[in-house]
Structure formats: C-alpha cells, structure tokens
Amino acid sequence: PFNLNWTYRGERQSSQMVFLLKAHELLKKGGVLAAIVPQYFLSDPFLQKSEIQEVESLFDFLCQYTLSP
C-alpha cells in the first residue's frame, strides 16, 4: 500500500519509506533492491530533502523511471 503513514523507529514515515528502510536492514552487502513506488515519491528536493538524503546515504545507486500507463 502506498502513501500510508506508519510509525517506524519512533517517527512518522510513509509506507514507501518504511519499505526502503526495512529492505536496507534485510539486504545482504551487494544485494539488489527494486521497488515500484508512486511517481512523486522522493521527487521534491525541497519538501522531502531529509528523506532523499537518508535514502541516498543507505544505498549506493538509485535510479528512477516513470512507467507508462
């Protein structure tokens, strides 16, 4: 489910962010993660600056593609 607000590590997080944080905990070194998230997830560097920085600090490579309907 997308855009749900969950409490994780004592903070309110979107369900997408919780998925990425849990994936980081469970991935082995060198593991690969692919996730389908809403188009606007982590796309606003002003409003989502801290979340973007956190994800960039956890993962070595990030790329994002828009899927056509």
Side-chain angles (χ1 to χ4, degrees):
F2 297 123
N3 298 320
L4 300 177
N5 289 312
W6 293 344
T7 300
Y8 183 72
R9 296 183 188 162
E11 296 181 29
R12 298 294 287 168
Q13 304 272 3
S14 71
S15 51
Q16 301 90 261
M17 190 67 179
V18 172
F19 175 82
L20 293 179
L21 295 172
K22 284 299 289 182
H24 180 263
E25 291 175 15
L26 298 172
L27 277 173
K28 294 180 181 178
K29 187 173 182 174
V32 176
L33 170 66
I36 298 174
V37 296
Q39 181 176 358
Y40 298 106
F41 177 64
L42 299 182
S43 64
D44 187 333
F46 181 75
L47 293 175
Q48 299 171 317
K49 183 177 181 177
S50 62
E51 290 92 347
I52 292 170
Q53 289 174 338
E54 184 172 10
V55 170
E56 287 176 343
S57 74
L58 295 176
F59 298 98
D60 291 330
F61 177 75
L62 297 172
C63 65
Q64 179 175 325
Y65 296 97
T66 301
L67 299 175
S68 300

